[in-house]
Amino acid sequence: SSPAADRVYDTFSQQWEIYTIITADPRLATLYELQTVYSVADVYDMLEVLEANSTLRDEYEKASRQ
């Protein structure tokens, strides 16, 4: 991780997984929704979707450069 990422991680009280979900573009959930609507399993599903999306974007970018 980078020094900037470490500072963010150390500065904010929310877990990194929560930060990832509420700052995703498009946002998957608000902090309030994570606290009141979604389950822990939902949180991990959202993280999996974000990771899969990131991997697919990376692969698409690699293929388009070739």
Side-chain angles (χ1 to χ4, degrees), residues 3-62:
D6 290 341
R7 278 193 305 279
V8 168
Y9 187 77
D10 291 340
T11 302
F12 296 99
S13 62
Q14 294 302 320
Q15 293 294 319
W16 190 253
E17 294 84 359
I18 303 305
Y19 177 81
T20 300
I21 291 170
I22 65 176
T23 60
D25 186 24
R27 182 178 296 148
L28 298 178
T30 64
L31 180 57
Y32 178 78
E33 290 170 329
L34 291 175
Q35 294 169 329
T36 60
V37 177
Y38 296 109
S39 68
V40 172
D42 293 330
V43 167
Y44 286 108
D45 287 344
M46 289 178 202
L47 291 169
E48 186 176 359
V49 166
L50 288 170
E51 184 63 30
N53 187 35
S54 176
T55 300
L56 289 172
R57 267 195 315 239
D58 290 347
E59 292 299 319
Y60 175 77
E61 287 178 20
K62 285 180 194 175

